[in-house]
Amino acid sequence: MITATVEARDNYLTHEYGVKSWLLTKDHKRIALLYLASITFFFFLGGIFATIIRLELLTPPGDLVSSQTYNKLFSLHGIIMVFLFLIPSIPATLGNFLVPMMLGCKDLAFPKLNLLSWYIFVVGGLFVLYAMLIGGVDTGWTFYVPLSTSYANTYVILTAVGVFITGFSSILTGLNFIVTVHRMRAPGLTWFRLPLFIWSTYATSVIQVLGTPVIAVTLLLVALERGFHLGIFDPALGGDPVLFQHLFWFYSHPAVYIMVLPAMGVVSELVSTYSRKKVFGYKFVAFASVAIAILGFLVWGHHMFVAGQSVYASMVFSMLSYLVAVPSAIKVFNWTATLYKGSISYDTPMLYAFGFIGLFTMGGLTGTFLASLGFDVHVTDTYFVVAHFHYIMVGGTMMAYLGGLHYWWPKISGRMYPEGWAKLSALVVFLGFNLTFFPQFIMGYLGMPRRYHAYPEEFQVYHVLSTAGASVLAVGYLIPAMYFIWSLRYGPIAPDNPWRATGLEWQTSSPPPPDNFEITPVVTHEAYDYSVVEEMTVG
Amino acid sequence: MAEHIVTKKQYAYVFVILLVLTLGTTVAGNMDLGPFNVVVALVIAVIKASLVVLFFMHVYWSTKLTRLVAVSGIAWLGLLLWLTLTDMISRGWLGVPGK
């Protein structure tokens, strides 16, 4: 790690002052911070719901909250974490901050549209918050019919409208990234010189643009059937309830890749920087992102093996689901090969990257279990599934998000975080995560159903372990929240390139000037060419 | 790239064709074509939508990349319909309820 001396330079944080300068900003870096603040709020709100859920499950009887309240708790936990935290997490914060800088340009292609995306996100979030405050929703984050259209007596339409609105934010961000990558790359920055974070963000954007309209239309149809009794999903009105699941999962399965592809991009950057090596098989890793984005749209039926979907369709979806494992495995093998004979350093971001690789692999492998027809019937709607997707979404995306936040924090804030505390928190998060979710694989396999607030006594030991793990995990998340805030004022001044990394974002000052670069950079090398950095350091 | 200027005459032609097709939809809607009721309505709708996309939205004169974006959207809709239909069509083949 390199240290720096204090030197006052104009930067995006100090260029303008006042609330108005933030709320009307068109600077992608400031908008990234607006997103960071918003999604951090939603993360801790969703975390509070998770805490109450885990406390309820400490004992077999439903004694802390009623079953109705429990239903609302897991519904709001899921809706907030998926739509208001995980989906915007890496793209809207790190993506917004980094895409223009990695491309060597001043801003995204449509800066005003970028600000509009944030406002749309906030409006959608406020709808969900309002629904929560006046009574909540109890359909689960999946809004399955006929519960959501005919039976639920909670604020389904209001919540669905909130999710519907945030979808537009996601589409506009994706559109902005796609156009920026196509049109605004610095001179010399060819497609195969792009950092892999850009490739994965680009693939994510394609999913956002192509998939999100379908969830918007689906939720609109739910609202129309619930409000006006149009016969779309209700068989009594001539509809088909399984059709809802087709439409819902056509978006919501690729949405998992909206969450995890950018995380893979972050991990590619971290693994390369902290092993001082080019990513092994750059083109394979780049095209694996595109392959995941495309194949991810062909597998949604594996969520419906016991939902009344025909066996023949299930067989097709099962086979297609196995295909996604191929590009995912390419990435994991290539990261591992990158480490081979690398000069590895164990800084905090790298600890999170290691955590990601291990946990994502476990989540991915259990995903192939679930793609097999016979096994899936046994564990559908059990804690096995809950553990599986938390290994992907929390073990995967959250680890990479935290790793990325640490890695680029010096660039974002101009300050260093305390390395000792950061390493400790990475360890606490890893241990807490596994203690929370590994027992859920076992109890799910043994038959513990998800979404129950009371359960037989033989499952208690696993629930106690899981709740203990959740407490550790909560501590692991609170520590970075505290030291990041601390570092804004007291952290050592960050140098421009503390990790001696290769991306264009490291060639400008920390924090960057409002227009990112004093002079438009010209790219003459491939990505991850560390000989250039060594020359600059020596020179 | 310079923006292609569409003449008022071209817009008027497309507009007239759209009106004729709307008339076609209305006439077909009042006729009993048996199983072809939906087919005819959808074919007319697709032609109308294509005209709007190609001429009113200028895709006809756009770059290859823009055309690719438009085709991708349609292809993805096709994907949704195709894989959903693998379920809808094959339901009941086994003769076991729910399979």
Side-chain angles (χ1 to χ4, degrees), chain A residues 348 417-426 479 483:
Chain A
T348 306
Y417 53 81
E419 184 66 19
W421 279 103
K423 281 184 177 170
L424 176 72
S425 77
I479 297 172
Y483 65 66

Side-chain angles (χ1 to χ4, degrees), chain B residues 30-87:
Chain B
N30 287 309
M31 292 165 66
D32 185 11
L33 302 170
F36 293 101
N37 278 332
V38 177
V39 177
V40 170
L42 278 177
V43 166
I44 296 175
V46 167
I47 294 170
K48 283 161 73 179
S50 305
L51 288 172
V52 171
V53 170
L54 287 172
F55 299 104
F56 286 175
M57 296 172 77
H58 294 203
V59 170
Y60 187 79
W61 298 282
S62 297
T63 59
K64 282 181 185 171
L65 186 63
T66 308
R67 287 185 205 173
L68 178 69
V69 170
V71 170
S72 302
I74 297 164
W76 251 247
L77 176 65
L79 209 63
L80 171 66
L81 296 175
W82 168 50
L83 282 171
T84 303
L85 284 173
T86 60
D87 169 33

Side-chain angles (χ1 to χ4, degrees), chain A residues 141-152:
Chain A
W141 78 275
T142 49
F143 296 100
Y144 269 13
V145 300
L147 175 62
S148 61
T149 48
S150 304
Y151 299 107

Side-chain angles (χ1 to χ4, degrees), chain A residues 191 231 236 437:
Chain A
W191 280 88
F437 293 106

Side-chain angles (χ1 to χ4, degrees), chain A residues 182 210 240 242-243 246-247 250 297-298 300 308-313 317, chain B residues 65 72-73 76 79-80 82-84 86-88 90-91 93-94 98-99:
Chain A
H182 274 274
L210 289 172
D240 182 346
V242 181
L243 177 64
H246 278 296
L247 295 173
F250 180 80
F297 273 103
L298 307 177
W300 78 84
Q309 179 178 252
S310 89
V311 170
Y312 296 99
F317 279 117
Chain B
L65 186 63
S72 302
W76 251 247
L79 209 63
L80 171 66
W82 168 50
L83 282 171
T84 303
T86 60
D87 169 33
M88 299 292 184
S90 63
R91 258 188 240 169
W93 282 4
L94 276 184
K99 298 289 176 189

Side-chain angles (χ1 to χ4, degrees), chain A residues 267-283:
Chain A
V267 170
S268 295
E269 301 297 321
L270 301 185
V271 167
S272 173
T273 297
Y274 294 105
S275 51
R276 315 297 302 162
K277 272 182 70 188
K278 284 183 187 176
V279 172
F280 180 83
Y282 170 95
K283 285 187 181 176

